[in-house]
Structures are given as structure tokens and as C-alpha cells.
Amino acid sequence: TVDEYQLRVPTWIRVATAGNAPYTANLFCSLLSVVCSTDTSTRGVFGIFGNAEVKDMVSSALQLLVILLDFNVGVFVLPDGTEETEGAKGEKGGRRNSPALRNVFRSMLSGVHRPEELDFIFDGLTHHLASAASRSRTSSVSEKPDLFCEQLLILTWHLLTLNGHFLRHVCSRRGADALLRPLIALLLDASFFIHRRPTPQTHDARPLAETRDSLSPSTNGGSLLANDGAESPSSSSPAEAATALSRIGLLHMCSFILLVLSSERDFAVRLNEPFLGKAPADIPVFQGSYADLLCLAVHRVVMDATGPRGSSDSLVDMLLTVLCNVSAYVKSFCLESCLRLMAMMERLTRRYWLFSAPQHYHDVFFLLDVFNNLIQYQFEVKRNAQTSARGADFTHSLKVFSVEKPASS
């Protein structure tokens, strides 16, 4: 279990990541090269391996690389509840000369800094993520979880958090569209699967993408299946339950990555580039920038998470934080984005949501910061004034909002 893993460091992973084994650097470079350079949609490697063999090879290399990178030796919990740091490991039991635990794979990943190497890794990751997003649109409910996509997101998370050169390179020198498009597509697909997918009693045998395309998102962001209750574990098969857990992981991993990217100023500035192409099926058609794409996607997921089948408050907090981080650098929002910002404010200030948990008032603060940044920094916005005028009645009701005092006994 996870608790047992934290109490005792596995011997094999400690030896494999210590750096004393031969060809450790060669193994790291080989695994990363196989993952980033191999195209699983073509005929194979030099025509030798078929498509199935290539997918198995890339999947195995990615899984091994993620396992090695996940071993974080910074802090381990001992059985007595204390924390074992690297400085205390050598002195434990009188072994002052014992080497401290370390993970050379994380060190080598954080040391990649050459621009051509960063471009090589970025191109390989975005290609695999785009392929995973296209597969997710056509997947059915009964299919197995896409573990390859989950491991890709974990590797992307490690690259963005461990390697500052990679994060700055992606945000400043590479466009936001290559990484933002597949992340938003995976985010919306996972949200639809968890919150708005028809229940097993009502869904038919049509593919998931066909069922979703027949549903048009409403303007106020209400749940499209408001009458459907949450799925009961007894009514779903083990395969569907595993797929649901996998989609929950995808939903949170995409949110984590967007949160890291939004903390960079260069990423927020590049969101002002015009959006070209077809928008995902879960958001309305618009003419604007990548900031509008991000805003509409956040609105869709937040409305799903706060609907009848939503259950994750941390997801709402993360996505609103993403929107708050980039709002100070966005030059303009289209009319569709402005309307949905007001719809989110109206949803999150309803009494049933505010009083359902003690921390829900933080969501209102996040959105107020967003509006404050839009008013303070966006000199080019003209539609925001129209949207604010339309929401004048709602703004006044929020101003006079009060809580009834409990009756004295």
C-alpha cells in the first residue's frame, strides 16, 4: 500500500536510483529518447517493428521512466512518525559514513538545459498528448483506462516542476497552443465522462464522442443532465469503475499542469495569440484568443464540478486560481467568455453553494480578483462593460447579500 511504501524504502528502487549502477545515464537517455522520438501512429522503427510492438515498447519505456522519477527521496516518514531527511540518514544507527538517499534520474531530468534537447522533448510530448486527446474523443465507456495518457501527464508534470529551464522554454519560446490544446481537450473529455455522461441505465451503445456532440452547452452553464443522479458503484461494472477513476486522475493532472503553467508570466502573455482552428465540442463557437479558450474550458469544468454530480471542491479552487493568475495579462476577452464569467459568479454566489461547505466563499474571492484584474489592466476591453451592465441586477443583489441571524433561544 501507499502507507507501507512511505514507511519503508524499497531496496530495488533505492539501488536503481542511487547512481552507482553502471550505465545509469545511458538508461535515462535511452528511455527519454524512446518516449519522445518514437511515433506510435506510423509503421514502426526503421520498418522492423510493427505498430503493436512499437506501442508496447514506448509504453514500457514510459512506465519505467515514470516509476524512476516518482521516487522522491526528499522526505520519508518513519514508523515513529518522524521525518527522515538526507542529512539524518547517514547518522542513523551510528552509520555516519553511509551515503544519503538520492535519485539521480530526477537530477538528470532537472539538468537538461540545451535548447535543442528541450525542443526534442517538447515536440515528442505534445505529439503523444495530441494523439491521446484524439483517442479520448472516440473512446467508449467500457474501454480500459488509458494508462499511457496518464503516464504522459505525469512525465509532463515532472518536467515542468523539476526542470525550470523546460518550463521557461515552453512558456517563452514555444507557442501556447501546442500544449494547451491537448490539455484542454483531455480536461473537457474527463469532465464530461465524470459529470455529464449518461448513466448506465440510460446510455446507449453509441460512442462517447457521438453522445457528447449531441449535447450543446447551455449559456448559463447548468448541468445538461440535471435530472440524472450520481452513478452508484453497484450499477457499474469493474471496468467502468476503473475507467471513472482514471478519468478523475486525468482531470486533476491536467488541472495541476495548467496551474503550474499559469504561474509563468510568459505563458499568460502568449495566451493573447489569436485562436485558430476548431473549438472542442463542449464549449461554444467563439472568435478570440487562447485566453478565451482557457476561460470557456474553465467555465465548463467548474459548472460541471458544482452541478448535481460534482464532488470536487479542490478542482474548482485550482481552475479558478488558473483563471486568476492569467487574468492580469490578458488583453481582452470575447463576449462568450464575459458572459460565462458572470454565469460562474452567479453560480458560485448562490446560497446553496456558499453554505454547503465552509471554504466555498474562497471561490467568490477568486472570481472577484479576476474581475478586478480585468477592470484594472484591460484597457482594450469593450464588451466587458456591456456584460457588466447586463449583470447590474445580480451585482446589486450581491452587494446587499446578508445572512439571517439565528433565532435567540
Side-chain angles (χ1 to χ4, degrees):
T1 63
V2 177
D3 295 334
E4 294 174 352
Y5 174 78
Q6 292 179 347
L7 291 176
R8 185 175 182 180
V9 182
T11 304
W12 71 270
I13 193 71
R14 180 178 59 190
V15 174
T17 58
N20 300 324
Y23 308 111
T24 301
N26 294 346
L27 176 62
F28 170 77
C29 296
S30 299
L31 293 176
L32 195 59
S33 298
V34 168
V35 172
C36 297
S37 63
T38 308
D39 188 0
T40 57
S41 61
T42 57
R43 296 175 56 186
V45 181
F46 305 114
I48 300 176
F49 301 103
N51 198 18
E53 289 80 1
V54 170
K55 290 182 179 179
D56 293 339
M57 179 182 64
V58 176
S59 179
S60 300
L62 178 60
Q63 185 177 10
L64 178 58
L65 183 60
V66 168
I67 291 174
L68 294 172
L69 292 174
D70 274 342
F71 180 62
N72 188 2
V73 298
V75 174
F76 269 91
V77 180
L78 298 178
D80 57 356
T82 59
E83 294 181 351
E84 182 181 5
T85 60
E86 293 188 2
K89 291 183 181 72
E91 300 179 0
K92 182 180 178 181
R95 297 174 298 167
R96 297 183 179 274
N97 296 327
S98 299
L101 289 176
R102 62 172 182 167
N103 189 341
V104 295
F105 288 91
R106 295 171 70 94
S107 301
M108 287 187 288
L109 185 68
S110 62
V112 179
H113 64 280
R114 297 174 60 183
E116 54 270 20
E117 295 175 349
L118 299 177
D119 287 333
F120 170 74
I121 297 174
F122 179 78
D123 292 336
L125 285 179
T126 52
H127 174 75
H128 286 309
L129 286 174
S131 301
S134 62
R135 290 195 305 269
S136 179
R137 297 189 191 101
T138 58
S139 61
S140 62
V141 176
S142 59
E143 289 186 3
K144 295 182 179 180
D146 192 355
L147 299 180
F148 184 76
C149 182
E150 295 180 18
Q151 293 162 0
L152 275 176
L153 292 175
I154 294 174
L155 179 58
T156 305
W157 164 260
H158 283 311
L159 281 166
L160 294 174
T161 54
L162 294 177
N163 194 324
H165 301 286
F166 182 79
L167 178 60
R168 290 187 293 270
H169 183 81
V170 169
C171 296
S172 60
R173 298 188 180 183
R174 302 301 299 262
D177 57 335
L179 188 58
L180 189 62
R181 281 176 181 265
L183 285 177
I184 287 182
L186 292 172
L187 185 75
L188 293 174
D189 287 331
S191 180
F192 173 83
F193 188 94
I194 297 169
H195 301 116
R196 290 180 287 123
R197 178 175 60 89
T199 57
Q201 291 82 1
T202 58
H203 82 274
D204 51 18
R206 292 182 298 168
L208 182 61
E210 182 181 350
T211 306
R212 182 186 58 185
D213 292 341
S214 63
L215 303 174
S216 59
S218 57
T219 303
N220 60 1
S223 176
L224 299 178
L225 299 172
N227 296 328
D228 292 340
E231 299 180 29
S232 60
S234 59
S235 61
S236 60
S237 63
E240 293 179 358
T243 305
L245 291 176
S246 174
R247 295 301 177 92
I248 293 175
L250 287 178
L251 192 65
H252 285 80
M253 282 303 303
C254 292
S255 302
F256 286 143
I257 294 174
L258 289 175
L259 185 61
V260 174
L261 292 174
S262 67
S263 63
E264 290 291 321
R265 177 186 178 276
D266 293 331
F267 174 79
V269 171
R270 299 200 68 145
L271 290 178
N272 295 306
E273 297 176 358
F275 174 75
L276 302 176
K278 184 179 179 181
D282 293 309
I283 61 177
V285 179
F286 68 96
Q287 292 183 353
S289 61
Y290 282 96
D292 295 300
L293 176 66
L294 179 61
C295 178
L296 294 174
V298 169
H299 162 266
R300 179 70 272 169
V301 179
V302 168
M303 289 299 185
D304 291 341
T306 56
R309 295 166 65 175
S311 60
S312 179
D313 295 341
S314 60
L315 179 66
V316 176
D317 293 341
M318 276 192 295
L319 293 177
L320 291 179
T321 304
V322 171
L323 202 58
C324 186
N325 289 341
V326 303
S327 60
Y329 304 99
V330 177
K331 293 183 179 180
S332 63
F333 274 133
C334 65
L335 180 60
E336 291 80 7
S337 299
C338 296
L339 291 174
R340 279 151 181 81
L341 282 174
M342 294 299 298
M344 276 196 295
M345 176 63 83
E346 185 177 359
R347 168 70 69 87
L348 297 178
T349 53
R350 291 179 181 176
R351 291 178 178 269
Y352 83 89
W353 174 256
L354 285 176
F355 297 152
S356 59
Q359 71 276 7
H360 281 175
Y361 71 94
H362 292 288
D363 303 334
V364 182
F365 290 163
F366 285 133
L367 278 178
L368 288 177
D369 286 338
V370 172
F371 284 113
N372 182 47
N373 291 333
L374 297 181
I375 296 172
Q376 185 175 1
Y377 298 108
Q378 287 192 8
F379 299 101
E380 302 178 14
V381 177
K382 297 181 180 179
R383 295 189 179 95
N384 282 331
Q386 302 174 3
T387 308
S388 301
R390 294 182 183 182
D393 296 337
F394 160 71
T395 306
H396 178 71
S397 64
L398 182 62
K399 179 180 178 181
V400 299
F401 180 84
S402 61
V403 180
E404 297 180 359
K405 296 182 179 180
S408 58
S409 56

